[in-house]
Amino acid sequence: MAAVKFHMLDITYKIVGDGVVILIFGKTDDGKRICLMDDSFEPYFYVLPKKKEDIEKLRPAIESVKISRDDYNFFVKRTEVLKRKLNGRLADVIKVTVNNPKAVPPMREEIAKKPGVQGIYEADILFVRRYLIDRKLTPLTTWEVEGEFINFRSRVSVLKAAKITQLSDDVAENLRVLAIDLETYSATREIMPTENPILMVSFYGTESLNNSKSRIFRKVITYKKFNTDKDYIEFVGGEAELIMRFKEVIDEFKPDVIVGYNSDSFDMPYLRTRANKHRIELDIGLDFSSLRMSKGQAEHAYIPGIAHVDIYRFIRNTMPTMLKTDTLDLDSVARELLGEGKAEADVSELATTWDRHPEKLEQYCEYNLKDSELAFGLFRSLFLNMAEMVKIVGLSLFDVTRMTFSQLVEWFLIKQTPLYEEIVPNKPEHADVKERITKTYQGGFVVEPKPGLYDDIAVFDFRSLYPSIIASHNISPSTLNCSCCEDKAKKVPLEGKNYWFCEKKKGFISQVIEELITRRMRISEIIKKEKEENKLLRARSQTVKILANAFYGYLGFYAARWYSLESAQSVTAWGRFHINKVIEKAQKEGFNVLYGDTDSVFLSLKGRSQKDALKFVEAINMELPGVMELELEEFYPKGIFVSAKIGEAGAKKKYALLNEHGAIKIRGFEMVRRNWSPIAREVQENVISIILREGDVEKAFNYVRKTMKELEQKKVPVEKVTIFTQIQKGLDDYENVGPHVAAAKRMLAKGYPMVAGSLVRYIVVQGKGKISDRVKLPEEVQEGEYDDQYYINNQIIPSVDRIFEVLGYSKEALLESKDQSKLGTFFK
DNA sequence: GATTGGCGGGG
DNA sequence: GTGTACGCCAATC
């Protein structure tokens, strides 16, 4: 018998004969990669009978179900009767254990048809997740494993586990992490993996993540020869050889984690497409299986045995509100989190350089390597946060880094259910989702932004508002309007509704969130006591807080298993009650409340110091009950507020703030993106910058006026009015012919292949009729051949009109200003 | 006014 | 893989 300390990195399963084995890949405390094999876990689900008396009739009927499908024999191994809680009520349920995870969906259908069956539960809990939850095993942390090494096809030794126990909370220290990045041939902005080869691949990694002295591994593989003294550049014979070397490097480096930036939807699928083209198997999985692309709405690239982390996905899912940057491209994110951006190189010139000036390729190799280095850096700087999320939610690094907040909350709740003997509610039926999606309810309290340009703004955040409300008012689907407290319970301050929550028994959700809150309080206590900064505890505290904050949104999320409109309504009702108190106090203190939304308040300091603002927060916090806390987010020397929907109630936030370091934080202006013309993007960026950095509204106005005039005089180059859009499906599948579809049809007529993913470039030209009747391709237009009025009215004006509107210039003013003679009246 | 379709990241 | 992405916005119907 061997006994090892083990850290899990990935988990999967394999069908063996009529049964199933769990395969757990990871590494031992002394750095060896191994695989645990566990054949002692079986798939199961629950059947809820209509009547308790039906149970003994139902059991034999269920036990006799047998299904044969795709060479598999599916059968029921046994049934048991258990007591479980469903929506707060105790019920007798039948636990049905089957032989194969793939048996569950057909079994579910078959058994649901039987008379006496009320419902089937937990038949959609993925097998490996079920394993981790039931065995109380946490990925990445330290397990103790006893067993014997066996022969089993795998790149690493396989230990047949006789006993696995959770030993401690300590995360693996010595991870081998390898970041990768591709550069590909692309003469246009279009990305076409079937047409264009990979030109380079870079690697940046370490043999031990926590050891700063550990050797750094750097490599760029490419296949066009040029003179260089960079020893990390390796030349191969062509693309096929590049892919073969890619596989070898992975095999030799033996990474525990592979990192990329947007690698789920770019690098990995690109590699796979190119490998297919060369008939190369991308069998880098530790069980010798291939890179697997799973396709839902979002693609995931899964490598059995290795934790592939797409760091962009993690950031996008869990961090955008915490970041100052509004765009999540690698350069912006790395600048903010690592303090350095991408290397200098014009990637749109790579294809030309490759074809005509290979001697200049070295800078592209440096650029390529830098991208890997940044992805690696982001992984290193966020690993604590990811690991904490893994520890709380209890699923693999791969899963956790790809989940949205609603999914994280849901799986966190699912993990708690065995402790409370709760049954996991089913996902809503399609019809329920459709109905729920239409339901709206009153949200947070909003003080309409007072549009304008302001100096010295202090922003306060009420971050723990909703979690503390859920805990202290016992808000849960199961405690809503209980029969035991109807007369005595405190009523939710919500006009027209008579809601209350049980004051005798804790609800599942409120109890779970209360434990999260107290856990965070304990962590905060320790942090306060310790003199030195404890990064681990800070990450833990932050992660708990983020998760707790997501509970409210989850309760009102249409696809949630524990959806409860009434609960969500009650949370916001109590929230409005509390924020109103803060606003009243701020006004009493003499601050100018510029804007408030749900859990945040923007105060203008004019005439008062930052110290006064800090004192104000302190005073508020003294009076707040329990865990509730108001925090200072940041001071901003300058900011502009725009109401997105002028005159309407519930205006959405739209503002740009300049912080003390000169960085601009923009919220709500993100509409000007790819499918807008470059000229519109450029104008919006420059206008915001001139107004905030130079404080010169007139200059910004003149700049826009000048640009519109240039448009009218046809001086703007065609590429700046060319709109890029991607075709998402076959042209015949479009019901509506939008401008991009019209352009695509023109391209098709000219013999360009137009499939899902094809990029369309078009220019709107003058003429009559719908916009889609007036699109032309870049090759069809002369310089200056564009509809200046379209670009002025549909591109330039919408990108800046709100900004000018709040500064006293109406849309009409912008338009009229084209007439020189009237200009004088706008500047007094 | 309601519905449809594209966007993000990546070269 | 016992599978669930999301929220915003313009153009068209």
Side-chain angles (χ1 to χ4, degrees), chain A residues 183-184 188 316 674 726 728 734:
Chain A
E183 303 301 327
T184 65
T188 63
R316 166 117 182 260
R674 175 156 106 180
Q726 205 167 13
Q728 298 288 8
Y734 281 93

PDB file of all heavy atoms in Angstrom, chain A residues 183-184 188 316 674 726 728 734, chain B residues 3-11:
ATOM      1  N   GLU A 183       0.446  33.341 -32.820  1.00  0.00           N
ATOM      2  CA  GLU A 183       0.286  34.400 -33.814  1.00  0.00           C
ATOM      3  C   GLU A 183      -0.078  33.689 -35.107  1.00  0.00           C
ATOM      4  O   GLU A 183       0.513  32.659 -35.451  1.00  0.00           O
ATOM      5  CB  GLU A 183       1.563  35.219 -34.017  1.00  0.00           C
ATOM      6  CG  GLU A 183       2.125  35.864 -32.755  1.00  0.00           C
ATOM      7  CD  GLU A 183       1.173  36.819 -32.068  1.00  0.00           C
ATOM      8  OE1 GLU A 183       0.374  37.476 -32.771  1.00  0.00           O
ATOM      9  OE2 GLU A 183       1.206  36.884 -30.830  1.00  0.00           O
ATOM     10  N   THR A 184      -1.032  34.250 -35.810  1.00  0.00           N
ATOM     11  CA  THR A 184      -1.499  33.587 -37.030  1.00  0.00           C
ATOM     12  C   THR A 184      -1.443  34.533 -38.220  1.00  0.00           C
ATOM     13  O   THR A 184      -1.380  35.752 -38.053  1.00  0.00           O
ATOM     14  CB  THR A 184      -2.956  33.110 -36.867  1.00  0.00           C
ATOM     15  OG1 THR A 184      -3.803  34.241 -36.708  1.00  0.00           O
ATOM     16  CG2 THR A 184      -3.101  32.194 -35.666  1.00  0.00           C
ATOM     17  N   THR A 188      -6.273  40.389 -43.214  1.00  0.00           N
ATOM     18  CA  THR A 188      -7.342  41.327 -42.886  1.00  0.00           C
ATOM     19  C   THR A 188      -7.652  41.177 -41.412  1.00  0.00           C
ATOM     20  O   THR A 188      -6.989  40.429 -40.711  1.00  0.00           O
ATOM     21  CB  THR A 188      -8.615  40.987 -43.676  1.00  0.00           C
ATOM     22  OG1 THR A 188      -9.054  39.693 -43.286  1.00  0.00           O
ATOM     23  CG2 THR A 188      -8.342  41.021 -45.162  1.00  0.00           C
ATOM     24  N   ARG A 316     -13.346  37.976 -17.140  1.00  0.00           N
ATOM     25  CA  ARG A 316     -14.606  38.446 -17.707  1.00  0.00           C
ATOM     26  C   ARG A 316     -15.797  38.024 -16.836  1.00  0.00           C
ATOM     27  O   ARG A 316     -16.731  38.790 -16.633  1.00  0.00           O
ATOM     28  CB  ARG A 316     -14.714  37.841 -19.101  1.00  0.00           C
ATOM     29  CG  ARG A 316     -16.041  37.938 -19.706  1.00  0.00           C
ATOM     30  CD  ARG A 316     -16.046  38.763 -20.966  1.00  0.00           C
ATOM     31  NE  ARG A 316     -17.400  38.834 -21.437  1.00  0.00           N
ATOM     32  CZ  ARG A 316     -17.869  38.073 -22.409  1.00  0.00           C
ATOM     33  NH1 ARG A 316     -17.056  37.249 -23.049  1.00  0.00           N
ATOM     34  NH2 ARG A 316     -19.108  38.163 -22.759  1.00  0.00           N
ATOM     35  N   ARG A 674     -16.946  47.278 -32.046  1.00  0.00           N
ATOM     36  CA  ARG A 674     -16.492  46.835 -33.344  1.00  0.00           C
ATOM     37  C   ARG A 674     -17.435  47.183 -34.483  1.00  0.00           C
ATOM     38  O   ARG A 674     -17.006  47.614 -35.541  1.00  0.00           O
ATOM     39  CB  ARG A 674     -16.278  45.315 -33.334  1.00  0.00           C
ATOM     40  CG  ARG A 674     -15.911  44.808 -34.704  1.00  0.00           C
ATOM     41  CD  ARG A 674     -15.168  43.539 -34.608  1.00  0.00           C
ATOM     42  NE  ARG A 674     -16.019  42.439 -35.004  1.00  0.00           N
ATOM     43  CZ  ARG A 674     -15.615  41.190 -35.016  1.00  0.00           C
ATOM     44  NH1 ARG A 674     -14.408  40.897 -34.621  1.00  0.00           N
ATOM     45  NH2 ARG A 674     -16.429  40.236 -35.397  1.00  0.00           N
ATOM     46  N   GLN A 726     -19.516  40.728 -38.227  1.00  0.00           N
ATOM     47  CA  GLN A 726     -19.341  39.313 -38.503  1.00  0.00           C
ATOM     48  C   GLN A 726     -20.688  38.677 -38.835  1.00  0.00           C
ATOM     49  O   GLN A 726     -21.709  39.009 -38.251  1.00  0.00           O
ATOM     50  CB  GLN A 726     -18.754  38.623 -37.273  1.00  0.00           C
ATOM     51  CG  GLN A 726     -18.013  37.371 -37.630  1.00  0.00           C
ATOM     52  CD  GLN A 726     -17.177  36.885 -36.460  1.00  0.00           C
ATOM     53  OE1 GLN A 726     -17.334  37.332 -35.345  1.00  0.00           O
ATOM     54  NE2 GLN A 726     -16.286  35.943 -36.735  1.00  0.00           N
ATOM     55  N   GLN A 728     -23.045  35.614 -38.532  1.00  0.00           N
ATOM     56  CA  GLN A 728     -23.100  34.569 -37.507  1.00  0.00           C
ATOM     57  C   GLN A 728     -23.713  33.261 -37.993  1.00  0.00           C
ATOM     58  O   GLN A 728     -23.612  32.249 -37.329  1.00  0.00           O
ATOM     59  CB  GLN A 728     -23.872  35.064 -36.279  1.00  0.00           C
ATOM     60  CG  GLN A 728     -23.235  36.255 -35.599  1.00  0.00           C
ATOM     61  CD  GLN A 728     -21.961  35.921 -34.838  1.00  0.00           C
ATOM     62  OE1 GLN A 728     -21.451  34.812 -34.934  1.00  0.00           O
ATOM     63  NE2 GLN A 728     -21.440  36.874 -34.107  1.00  0.00           N
ATOM     64  N   TYR A 734     -31.158  34.147 -42.252  1.00  0.00           N
ATOM     65  CA  TYR A 734     -31.551  35.445 -41.713  1.00  0.00           C
ATOM     66  C   TYR A 734     -32.988  35.775 -42.082  1.00  0.00           C
ATOM     67  O   TYR A 734     -33.363  35.692 -43.247  1.00  0.00           O
ATOM     68  CB  TYR A 734     -30.631  36.553 -42.245  1.00  0.00           C
ATOM     69  CG  TYR A 734     -29.309  36.608 -41.521  1.00  0.00           C
ATOM     70  CD1 TYR A 734     -28.211  35.916 -42.013  1.00  0.00           C
ATOM     71  CD2 TYR A 734     -29.173  37.338 -40.352  1.00  0.00           C
ATOM     72  CE1 TYR A 734     -26.988  35.954 -41.352  1.00  0.00           C
ATOM     73  CE2 TYR A 734     -27.965  37.388 -39.683  1.00  0.00           C
ATOM     74  CZ  TYR A 734     -26.873  36.703 -40.187  1.00  0.00           C
ATOM     75  OH  TYR A 734     -25.689  36.747 -39.515  1.00  0.00           O
TER      76      TYR A 734
ATOM     77  P    DT B   3     -42.034  40.023 -28.843  1.00  0.00           P
ATOM     78  OP1  DT B   3     -42.872  38.824 -29.013  1.00  0.00           O
ATOM     79  OP2  DT B   3     -41.329  40.299 -27.576  1.00  0.00           O
ATOM     80  O5'  DT B   3     -40.959  40.031 -30.020  1.00  0.00           O
ATOM     81  C5'  DT B   3     -41.424  39.950 -31.370  1.00  0.00           C
ATOM     82  C4'  DT B   3     -40.236  39.871 -32.298  1.00  0.00           C
ATOM     83  O4'  DT B   3     -39.521  41.127 -32.269  1.00  0.00           O
ATOM     84  C3'  DT B   3     -39.212  38.787 -31.930  1.00  0.00           C
ATOM     85  O3'  DT B   3     -38.952  38.074 -33.123  1.00  0.00           O
ATOM     86  C2'  DT B   3     -38.008  39.572 -31.426  1.00  0.00           C
ATOM     87  C1'  DT B   3     -38.128  40.867 -32.212  1.00  0.00           C
ATOM     88  N1   DT B   3     -37.495  42.088 -31.628  1.00  0.00           N
ATOM     89  C2   DT B   3     -36.677  42.854 -32.434  1.00  0.00           C
ATOM     90  O2   DT B   3     -36.423  42.575 -33.584  1.00  0.00           O
ATOM     91  N3   DT B   3     -36.163  43.972 -31.835  1.00  0.00           N
ATOM     92  C4   DT B   3     -36.371  44.388 -30.532  1.00  0.00           C
ATOM     93  O4   DT B   3     -35.858  45.408 -30.104  1.00  0.00           O
ATOM     94  C5   DT B   3     -37.236  43.535 -29.727  1.00  0.00           C
ATOM     95  C7   DT B   3     -37.521  43.888 -28.314  1.00  0.00           C
ATOM     96  C6   DT B   3     -37.755  42.439 -30.317  1.00  0.00           C
ATOM     97  P    DT B   4     -37.979  36.836 -33.172  1.00  0.00           P
ATOM     98  OP1  DT B   4     -38.527  35.895 -34.154  1.00  0.00           O
ATOM     99  OP2  DT B   4     -37.663  36.406 -31.800  1.00  0.00           O
ATOM    100  O5'  DT B   4     -36.683  37.496 -33.797  1.00  0.00           O
ATOM    101  C5'  DT B   4     -36.776  38.128 -35.075  1.00  0.00           C
ATOM    102  C4'  DT B   4     -35.416  38.658 -35.435  1.00  0.00           C
ATOM    103  O4'  DT B   4     -35.090  39.781 -34.595  1.00  0.00           O
ATOM    104  C3'  DT B   4     -34.283  37.636 -35.258  1.00  0.00           C
ATOM    105  O3'  DT B   4     -33.556  37.647 -36.460  1.00  0.00           O
ATOM    106  C2'  DT B   4     -33.481  38.171 -34.070  1.00  0.00           C
ATOM    107  C1'  DT B   4     -33.748  39.673 -34.169  1.00  0.00           C
ATOM    108  N1   DT B   4     -33.657  40.479 -32.927  1.00  0.00           N
ATOM    109  C2   DT B   4     -33.019  41.706 -32.998  1.00  0.00           C
ATOM    110  O2   DT B   4     -32.513  42.133 -34.010  1.00  0.00           O
ATOM    111  N3   DT B   4     -33.009  42.406 -31.822  1.00  0.00           N
ATOM    112  C4   DT B   4     -33.547  42.024 -30.616  1.00  0.00           C
ATOM    113  O4   DT B   4     -33.470  42.750 -29.635  1.00  0.00           O
ATOM    114  C5   DT B   4     -34.202  40.742 -30.618  1.00  0.00           C
ATOM    115  C7   DT B   4     -34.817  40.238 -29.358  1.00  0.00           C
ATOM    116  C6   DT B   4     -34.225  40.039 -31.757  1.00  0.00           C
ATOM    117  P    DG B   5     -32.430  36.585 -36.741  1.00  0.00           P
ATOM    118  OP1  DG B   5     -32.421  36.365 -38.201  1.00  0.00           O
ATOM    119  OP2  DG B   5     -32.567  35.463 -35.797  1.00  0.00           O
ATOM    120  O5'  DG B   5     -31.128  37.393 -36.358  1.00  0.00           O
ATOM    121  C5'  DG B   5     -30.824  38.573 -37.095  1.00  0.00           C
ATOM    122  C4'  DG B   5     -29.574  39.184 -36.510  1.00  0.00           C
ATOM    123  O4'  DG B   5     -29.906  39.788 -35.238  1.00  0.00           O
ATOM    124  C3'  DG B   5     -28.453  38.181 -36.231  1.00  0.00           C
ATOM    125  O3'  DG B   5     -27.297  38.727 -36.812  1.00  0.00           O
ATOM    126  C2'  DG B   5     -28.370  38.112 -34.717  1.00  0.00           C
ATOM    127  C1'  DG B   5     -28.886  39.482 -34.312  1.00  0.00           C
ATOM    128  N9   DG B   5     -29.488  39.610 -32.989  1.00  0.00           N
ATOM    129  C8   DG B   5     -30.260  38.702 -32.320  1.00  0.00           C
ATOM    130  N7   DG B   5     -30.661  39.135 -31.147  1.00  0.00           N
ATOM    131  C5   DG B   5     -30.120  40.411 -31.044  1.00  0.00           C
ATOM    132  C6   DG B   5     -30.197  41.376 -30.012  1.00  0.00           C
ATOM    133  O6   DG B   5     -30.791  41.279 -28.939  1.00  0.00           O
ATOM    134  N1   DG B   5     -29.507  42.531 -30.327  1.00  0.00           N
ATOM    135  C2   DG B   5     -28.818  42.742 -31.488  1.00  0.00           C
ATOM    136  N2   DG B   5     -28.217  43.924 -31.614  1.00  0.00           N
ATOM    137  N3   DG B   5     -28.730  41.863 -32.469  1.00  0.00           N
ATOM    138  C4   DG B   5     -29.400  40.717 -32.179  1.00  0.00           C
ATOM    139  P    DG B   6     -25.938  37.937 -36.842  1.00  0.00           P
ATOM    140  OP1  DG B   6     -25.529  37.940 -38.247  1.00  0.00           O
ATOM    141  OP2  DG B   6     -26.032  36.679 -36.085  1.00  0.00           O
ATOM    142  O5'  DG B   6     -24.982  38.925 -36.042  1.00  0.00           O
ATOM    143  C5'  DG B   6     -24.950  40.290 -36.418  1.00  0.00           C
ATOM    144  C4'  DG B   6     -24.109  41.053 -35.433  1.00  0.00           C
ATOM    145  O4'  DG B   6     -24.880  41.248 -34.222  1.00  0.00           O
ATOM    146  C3'  DG B   6     -22.827  40.325 -35.008  1.00  0.00           C
ATOM    147  O3'  DG B   6     -21.806  41.303 -35.013  1.00  0.00           O
ATOM    148  C2'  DG B   6     -23.126  39.804 -33.616  1.00  0.00           C
ATOM    149  C1'  DG B   6     -24.122  40.834 -33.097  1.00  0.00           C
ATOM    150  N9   DG B   6     -25.074  40.322 -32.119  1.00  0.00           N
ATOM    151  C8   DG B   6     -25.763  39.139 -32.170  1.00  0.00           C
ATOM    152  N7   DG B   6     -26.552  38.967 -31.148  1.00  0.00           N
ATOM    153  C5   DG B   6     -26.363  40.105 -30.373  1.00  0.00           C
ATOM    154  C6   DG B   6     -26.951  40.485 -29.139  1.00  0.00           C
ATOM    155  O6   DG B   6     -27.778  39.862 -28.464  1.00  0.00           O
ATOM    156  N1   DG B   6     -26.488  41.715 -28.707  1.00  0.00           N
ATOM    157  C2   DG B   6     -25.571  42.489 -29.388  1.00  0.00           C
ATOM    158  N2   DG B   6     -25.246  43.643 -28.814  1.00  0.00           N
ATOM    159  N3   DG B   6     -25.026  42.149 -30.532  1.00  0.00           N
ATOM    160  C4   DG B   6     -25.460  40.956 -30.961  1.00  0.00           C
ATOM    161  P    DC B   7     -20.335  40.891 -34.702  1.00  0.00           P
ATOM    162  OP1  DC B   7     -19.503  41.697 -35.589  1.00  0.00           O
ATOM    163  OP2  DC B   7     -20.217  39.416 -34.660  1.00  0.00           O
ATOM    164  O5'  DC B   7     -20.158  41.412 -33.219  1.00  0.00           O
ATOM    165  C5'  DC B   7     -20.274  42.799 -32.972  1.00  0.00           C
ATOM    166  C4'  DC B   7     -20.060  43.021 -31.513  1.00  0.00           C
ATOM    167  O4'  DC B   7     -21.192  42.485 -30.811  1.00  0.00           O
ATOM    168  C3'  DC B   7     -18.833  42.277 -30.975  1.00  0.00           C
ATOM    169  O3'  DC B   7     -17.846  43.240 -30.701  1.00  0.00           O
ATOM    170  C2'  DC B   7     -19.324  41.591 -29.699  1.00  0.00           C
ATOM    171  C1'  DC B   7     -20.773  42.011 -29.557  1.00  0.00           C
ATOM    172  N1   DC B   7     -21.728  40.929 -29.222  1.00  0.00           N
ATOM    173  C2   DC B   7     -22.504  41.054 -28.071  1.00  0.00           C
ATOM    174  O2   DC B   7     -22.339  42.024 -27.344  1.00  0.00           O
ATOM    175  N3   DC B   7     -23.410  40.084 -27.782  1.00  0.00           N
ATOM    176  C4   DC B   7     -23.556  39.048 -28.601  1.00  0.00           C
ATOM    177  N4   DC B   7     -24.467  38.137 -28.274  1.00  0.00           N
ATOM    178  C5   DC B   7     -22.783  38.906 -29.780  1.00  0.00           C
ATOM    179  C6   DC B   7     -21.876  39.859 -30.057  1.00  0.00           C
ATOM    180  P    DG B   8     -16.354  42.829 -30.710  1.00  0.00           P
ATOM    181  OP1  DG B   8     -15.569  44.021 -31.081  1.00  0.00           O
ATOM    182  OP2  DG B   8     -16.209  41.580 -31.480  1.00  0.00           O
ATOM    183  O5'  DG B   8     -16.075  42.505 -29.181  1.00  0.00           O
ATOM    184  C5'  DG B   8     -16.182  43.536 -28.202  1.00  0.00           C
ATOM    185  C4'  DG B   8     -16.208  42.884 -26.829  1.00  0.00           C
ATOM    186  O4'  DG B   8     -17.412  42.090 -26.727  1.00  0.00           O
ATOM    187  C3'  DG B   8     -15.053  41.927 -26.575  1.00  0.00           C
ATOM    188  O3'  DG B   8     -14.678  42.066 -25.214  1.00  0.00           O
ATOM    189  C2'  DG B   8     -15.664  40.544 -26.811  1.00  0.00           C
ATOM    190  C1'  DG B   8     -17.063  40.789 -26.289  1.00  0.00           C
ATOM    191  N9   DG B   8     -18.084  39.862 -26.765  1.00  0.00           N
ATOM    192  C8   DG B   8     -18.152  39.189 -27.963  1.00  0.00           C
ATOM    193  N7   DG B   8     -19.214  38.443 -28.068  1.00  0.00           N
ATOM    194  C5   DG B   8     -19.887  38.634 -26.866  1.00  0.00           C
ATOM    195  C6   DG B   8     -21.093  38.081 -26.390  1.00  0.00           C
ATOM    196  O6   DG B   8     -21.847  37.289 -26.951  1.00  0.00           O
ATOM    197  N1   DG B   8     -21.397  38.543 -25.106  1.00  0.00           N
ATOM    198  C2   DG B   8     -20.634  39.431 -24.394  1.00  0.00           C
ATOM    199  N2   DG B   8     -21.073  39.763 -23.178  1.00  0.00           N
ATOM    200  N3   DG B   8     -19.508  39.946 -24.826  1.00  0.00           N
ATOM    201  C4   DG B   8     -19.192  39.503 -26.062  1.00  0.00           C
ATOM    202  P    DG B   9     -13.582  43.186 -24.755  1.00  0.00           P
ATOM    203  OP1  DG B   9     -14.023  43.528 -23.397  1.00  0.00           O
ATOM    204  OP2  DG B   9     -13.295  44.217 -25.747  1.00  0.00           O
ATOM    205  O5'  DG B   9     -12.295  42.246 -24.619  1.00  0.00           O
ATOM    206  C5'  DG B   9     -11.447  42.043 -25.712  1.00  0.00           C
ATOM    207  C4'  DG B   9     -10.938  40.637 -25.653  1.00  0.00           C
ATOM    208  O4'  DG B   9     -12.042  39.730 -25.854  1.00  0.00           O
ATOM    209  C3'  DG B   9      -9.950  40.274 -26.744  1.00  0.00           C
ATOM    210  O3'  DG B   9      -8.654  40.500 -26.211  1.00  0.00           O
ATOM    211  C2'  DG B   9     -10.171  38.805 -26.981  1.00  0.00           C
ATOM    212  C1'  DG B   9     -11.575  38.537 -26.442  1.00  0.00           C
ATOM    213  N9   DG B   9     -12.593  38.133 -27.392  1.00  0.00           N
ATOM    214  C8   DG B   9     -13.286  36.957 -27.403  1.00  0.00           C
ATOM    215  N7   DG B   9     -14.165  36.886 -28.357  1.00  0.00           N
ATOM    216  C5   DG B   9     -14.042  38.085 -29.017  1.00  0.00           C
ATOM    217  C6   DG B   9     -14.742  38.583 -30.135  1.00  0.00           C
ATOM    218  O6   DG B   9     -15.643  38.019 -30.774  1.00  0.00           O
ATOM    219  N1   DG B   9     -14.334  39.853 -30.492  1.00  0.00           N
ATOM    220  C2   DG B   9     -13.344  40.567 -29.853  1.00  0.00           C
ATOM    221  N2   DG B   9     -13.079  41.750 -30.325  1.00  0.00           N
ATOM    222  N3   DG B   9     -12.692  40.107 -28.791  1.00  0.00           N
ATOM    223  C4   DG B   9     -13.089  38.869 -28.428  1.00  0.00           C
ATOM    224  P    DG B  10      -7.430  40.832 -27.087  1.00  0.00           P
ATOM    225  OP1  DG B  10      -6.310  40.980 -26.156  1.00  0.00           O
ATOM    226  OP2  DG B  10      -7.790  41.934 -27.988  1.00  0.00           O
ATOM    227  O5'  DG B  10      -7.213  39.523 -27.978  1.00  0.00           O
ATOM    228  C5'  DG B  10      -6.794  38.293 -27.388  1.00  0.00           C
ATOM    229  C4'  DG B  10      -6.830  37.215 -28.453  1.00  0.00           C
ATOM    230  O4'  DG B  10      -8.191  36.958 -28.843  1.00  0.00           O
ATOM    231  C3'  DG B  10      -6.104  37.574 -29.736  1.00  0.00           C
ATOM    232  O3'  DG B  10      -4.744  37.175 -29.635  1.00  0.00           O
ATOM    233  C2'  DG B  10      -6.839  36.745 -30.770  1.00  0.00           C
ATOM    234  C1'  DG B  10      -8.267  36.688 -30.230  1.00  0.00           C
ATOM    235  N9   DG B  10      -9.154  37.667 -30.852  1.00  0.00           N
ATOM    236  C8   DG B  10      -8.983  39.030 -30.942  1.00  0.00           C
ATOM    237  N7   DG B  10      -9.962  39.632 -31.561  1.00  0.00           N
ATOM    238  C5   DG B  10     -10.828  38.607 -31.909  1.00  0.00           C
ATOM    239  C6   DG B  10     -12.056  38.644 -32.615  1.00  0.00           C
ATOM    240  O6   DG B  10     -12.638  39.624 -33.078  1.00  0.00           O
ATOM    241  N1   DG B  10     -12.606  37.371 -32.759  1.00  0.00           N
ATOM    242  C2   DG B  10     -12.059  36.225 -32.282  1.00  0.00           C
ATOM    243  N2   DG B  10     -12.727  35.097 -32.504  1.00  0.00           N
ATOM    244  N3   DG B  10     -10.900  36.171 -31.618  1.00  0.00           N
ATOM    245  C4   DG B  10     -10.344  37.391 -31.475  1.00  0.00           C
ATOM    246  P    DG B  11      -3.658  38.093 -30.311  1.00  0.00           P
ATOM    247  OP1  DG B  11      -2.366  37.530 -29.893  1.00  0.00           O
ATOM    248  OP2  DG B  11      -3.967  39.501 -30.028  1.00  0.00           O
ATOM    249  O5'  DG B  11      -3.866  37.844 -31.864  1.00  0.00           O
ATOM    250  C5'  DG B  11      -3.615  36.557 -32.400  1.00  0.00           C
ATOM    251  C4'  DG B  11      -3.615  36.622 -33.903  1.00  0.00           C
ATOM    252  O4'  DG B  11      -4.840  37.226 -34.347  1.00  0.00           O
ATOM    253  C3'  DG B  11      -2.504  37.489 -34.489  1.00  0.00           C
ATOM    254  O3'  DG B  11      -1.355  36.685 -34.695  1.00  0.00           O
ATOM    255  C2'  DG B  11      -3.111  37.906 -35.825  1.00  0.00           C
ATOM    256  C1'  DG B  11      -4.598  38.038 -35.486  1.00  0.00           C
ATOM    257  N9   DG B  11      -5.004  39.407 -35.150  1.00  0.00           N
ATOM    258  C8   DG B  11      -5.269  39.908 -33.898  1.00  0.00           C
ATOM    259  N7   DG B  11      -5.612  41.164 -33.907  1.00  0.00           N
ATOM    260  C5   DG B  11      -5.578  41.517 -35.253  1.00  0.00           C
ATOM    261  C6   DG B  11      -5.858  42.751 -35.878  1.00  0.00           C
ATOM    262  O6   DG B  11      -6.202  43.810 -35.363  1.00  0.00           O
ATOM    263  N1   DG B  11      -5.698  42.679 -37.250  1.00  0.00           N
ATOM    264  C2   DG B  11      -5.305  41.547 -37.930  1.00  0.00           C
ATOM    265  N2   DG B  11      -5.201  41.663 -39.264  1.00  0.00           N
ATOM    266  N3   DG B  11      -5.047  40.386 -37.359  1.00  0.00           N
ATOM    267  C4   DG B  11      -5.197  40.439 -36.024  1.00  0.00           C
TER     268       DG B  11
END
